[in-house]
Amino acid sequence: MLPRIPASCARASSSLSSTRNHTFKAFYATIRSLRQPPPEPDDAPLPDNDFIVSILRANPSLRDTRSYLASFGPRPKPPSAPSADRLVAASKDLSAAQSIPVALEHPKPSPVLSSILDPVVKRTALVKFQGPFTDVQLDSIARGMWTMTLCRGGNRMNGPPLIEETMRIVTTLEKQGARARPVLGAVVRLGPKPDDDDVTESPDLTPPEAHTFPSDLVPIRSALRAGEIPVIPPFALDSFCRSVRVDSNDVLGALARGMVEAAEIDNLQPGTSSDILPSEDVDLTPLRLMIINREGGVPSYARSGYPHLLINLSSEYSHIHDTFHEPWHSTNPTALSNLALARTCLNYMPPTSSAVMVSHRSPSSLIANLITNKPALSSSLPHALLQGNRRLTAHTPTLLRRGLPIRVLRTANDIDRPKMNALLEQSFGRTLDQQPFYERLERTLDFVVVAGDYVGAAIVTNEPCAGFAEPISYLDKFAVLPSHQGDGTVDFLWVALHDESYGLGHPFSANPNGGKGGVGEGRDLVWRSRANNPVNKWYFERSSGHMRMGPWVLFWCDAEKRLKLEQARRAHAGMSYVEEWEKGRLGQWADVVEKIPSAWK
């Protein structure tokens, strides 16, 4: 049965009570599933202009485009201050300077002119090929690749020889129009880095069993500057300088760490690359990790074995291990090892980086992830909408981020007020009226979900409502720092909010966020937003319904457990436009929400 998701109501006014019956029918008239785009077959061949088609399918937003340009666009270099010699020479008489013989040199192109004519700044990604793949499958993967750094992976000891497989990948990439170079010599060294004893790693983070130095990366840097994709088999040098085969995950972990360290050295020595044209400049810092295999992403207990859409490694890593069903060890044998690989690599890569685990059946997902840096479907969408979505298949990719720890606070005294003030004021761009705001929270606070060190927060209060046995669960504030908008924090925060409010009572709400662990009865969640708020589009997609109230829009999310029980009670008959427990609630919600005082000066 299609999920019953309400649409917009008629505008609330003084005649709200007289038009309530018509309003109920209006906001229950639209079925969201009808707005879903048709499914895209994973195995369908892409046309010759597949890169452009993939960009159009990715449908990047304005924020996605800005984020992409910030990561992959040309970076402005600070102007160099004129030296004292140049200042003295400029003050001399021009005629005297013209009498000095000058040796003719080949003029160097202006850096500004070069950046305009060829504004390419090469960035890198680490890609693990985890086969074995047939020629057709490898051909499909190669069509989805663009100028990236490749590291050939694979843990099958009984597969074809690595050198032959490496050359096969190079040949396939070149057949698709890419320029590739096999790097057959070992670029990593076996064992921990000599100074690792002084580095304190996370207690449950396994460091790679290999390391690399900047000098070892010369073949990779050379290939990238030549516009070629280096393809690297998983070899490492042991203590006797012998090239031995190692686990590909150790090679990738060592490369992620070593390339970030090499890029930091490059940034500290900007003069060493002053003669390099923009088209030859390479930033070795990897921004993406792509794991291409035969099985796809990490299966989720909350999606009946379908893959996780988005994983917050900082808060969900152990929970995924604990909820990994035994049969998945056979169907997805490398899911947990690849999960550990993503965690290791993202620990060294920039916070905005991401990893994606994707099946060879979804090559276009690589380009979509590169551009949007988002999952195929948002994990914060209503669960019923995700369960009925035709784009959610066994081969849907899993996006992984380093993420942030999530915790739930129950009292106003537990709130770090200076950090909360900074978060709210930066997020909303207004000055918080602190004293009445916190006095109100001391009386009405239900819980606060905090992401990281107050980079995001969701504040939920209990608002008394006449005619209801229990108060309204009201989302008072939902805020994320501007610097963390677009990096997954918004989705992580909303999923935790769902698990503590209207999603309670379902096993898929038992996430390790320090809250109720999914145990309890879900409650309707209500909130308001300015009618001209650009975030409303995002709210429309996640709410059960909305109603205009003059300058405000009232949103709500129905308790999911109650809806499920009602649907089960009525079997296949479905639910009517207005249930008994729904009658009159909009008018009472609107009356309560309109009286909530502003928190701003």
Side-chain angles (χ1 to χ4, degrees), residues 483-503:
S483 58
H484 284 264
Q485 293 175 6
D487 68 354
T489 302
V490 173
D491 278 335
F492 295 145
L493 191 62
W494 191 270
V495 169
L497 171 66
H498 161 276
D499 295 347
E500 294 301 312
S501 57
Y502 64 97

Side-chain angles (χ1 to χ4, degrees), residues 124-131 145 148-155 187-190 206-212 217 220 230-236 245-261 284-293 334 337-349 354-357:
T124 61
L126 293 171
V127 182
K128 176 182 178 182
F129 277 18
Q130 185 171 350
M145 300 304 304
M148 300 176 185
T149 303
L150 304 185
C151 179
R152 163 61 167 92
N155 298 320
V187 295
V188 302
R189 309 181 186 209
L190 199 59
T206 304
E209 292 294 331
H211 65 280
T212 186
L217 302 176
I220 295 178
V231 184
I232 308 166
F235 291 138
R245 178 170 181 168
V246 296
D247 192 301
S248 58
N249 289 359
D250 290 325
V251 176
L252 283 159
L255 283 176
R257 177 181 181 180
M259 292 170 69
V260 169
E261 293 173 348
L284 287 180
T285 305
L287 298 183
R288 301 284 191 275
L289 169 66
M290 298 181 176
I291 303 171
I292 308 173
N293 56 24
T334 63
S337 62
N338 285 330
L339 184 72
L341 168 65
R343 187 164 177 259
T344 299
C345 292
L346 291 176
N347 182 63
Y348 300 115
M349 293 160 63
S354 66
V356 62
M357 293 173 58

Side-chain angles (χ1 to χ4, degrees), residues 574-587:
M575 298 181 70
S576 62
Y577 284 111
V578 183
E579 300 295 325
E580 289 298 325
W581 49 269
E582 295 175 306
K583 291 181 178 179
R585 65 176 186 170
L586 285 184

Side-chain angles (χ1 to χ4, degrees), residues 128 130 155 249 291 293 295-300 305 307-308 311 313 317 320-321 324-325 328-343 357 398 400:
K128 176 182 178 182
Q130 185 171 350
N155 298 320
N249 289 359
I291 303 171
N293 56 24
E295 60 202 56
V298 182
S300 168
H308 283 272
I311 293 178
L313 290 170
Y317 182 80
I320 291 174
H321 274 265
F324 198 83
H325 294 175
W328 297 339
H329 289 285
S330 299
T331 59
N332 299 74
T334 63
L336 295 182
S337 62
N338 285 330
L339 184 72
L341 168 65
R343 187 164 177 259
M357 293 173 58
T398 296
L400 307 99

Side-chain angles (χ1 to χ4, degrees), residues 513-526:
N513 51 31
K516 295 183 178 179
V519 179
E521 294 294 326
R523 300 170 57 194
D524 299 334
L525 182 68
V526 182

Side-chain angles (χ1 to χ4, degrees), residues 2-271:
L2 294 175
R4 184 182 61 88
I5 308 292
S8 61
C9 299
R11 179 177 303 174
S13 63
S14 59
S15 60
L16 176 65
S17 58
S18 62
T19 61
R20 185 173 298 148
N21 292 334
H22 300 286
T23 300
F24 280 122
K25 294 183 179 180
F27 74 76
Y28 278 110
T30 299
I31 302 299
R32 271 220 189 102
S33 296
L34 300 180
R35 301 206 306 264
Q36 292 292 338
E40 299 175 4
D42 291 330
D43 295 325
L46 292 175
D48 293 337
N49 58 344
D50 55 345
F51 181 70
I52 298 176
V53 172
S54 298
I55 293 177
L56 296 177
R57 286 179 179 175
N59 192 24
S61 64
L62 179 60
R63 177 176 292 172
D64 296 333
T65 305
R66 289 172 177 170
S67 177
Y68 178 84
L69 292 177
S71 298
F72 300 101
R75 293 160 299 173
K77 296 183 178 180
S80 56
S83 63
D85 294 340
R86 291 183 179 178
L87 293 176
V88 172
S91 64
K92 293 184 179 180
D93 184 48
L94 182 61
S95 60
Q98 291 175 340
S99 64
I100 302 176
V102 179
L104 296 178
E105 296 181 358
H106 184 72
K108 295 182 180 180
S110 165
V112 176
L113 182 61
S114 299
S115 64
I116 294 175
L117 297 179
D118 195 359
V120 177
V121 178
K122 297 173 184 174
R123 307 302 297 265
T124 61
L126 293 171
V127 182
K128 176 182 178 182
F129 277 18
Q130 185 171 350
F133 297 122
T134 65
D135 291 340
V136 174
Q137 293 168 348
L138 194 59
D139 222 32
S140 176
I141 295 170
R143 289 177 68 86
M145 300 304 304
W146 199 245
T147 50
M148 300 176 185
T149 303
L150 304 185
C151 179
R152 163 61 167 92
N155 298 320
R156 289 175 56 92
M157 299 302 294
N158 58 347
L162 279 180
I163 301 299
E164 294 181 8
E165 277 292 276
T166 302
M167 298 307 300
R168 181 166 165 254
I169 293 175
V170 170
T171 302
T172 305
L173 287 170
E174 291 186 336
K175 187 172 65 175
Q176 297 298 333
R179 297 171 58 191
R181 178 190 300 186
V183 180
L184 303 181
V187 295
V188 302
R189 309 181 186 209
L190 199 59
K193 205 165 185 178
D195 56 354
D196 276 353
D197 293 338
D198 302 329
V199 178
T200 303
E201 298 279 5
S202 176
D204 53 351
L205 179 64
T206 304
E209 292 294 331
H211 65 280
T212 186
F213 293 105
S215 58
D216 299 327
L217 302 176
V218 169
I220 295 178
R221 195 188 296 268
S222 173
L224 292 173
R225 284 179 176 170
E228 299 172 339
I229 302 174
V231 184
I232 308 166
F235 291 138
L237 286 178
D238 64 9
S239 56
F240 296 98
C241 292
R242 295 175 302 191
S243 183
V244 296
R245 178 170 181 168
V246 296
D247 192 301
S248 58
N249 289 359
D250 290 325
V251 176
L252 283 159
L255 283 176
R257 177 181 181 180
M259 292 170 69
V260 169
E261 293 173 348
E264 291 175 351
I265 295 175
D266 291 344
N267 292 334
L268 294 176
Q269 300 172 347

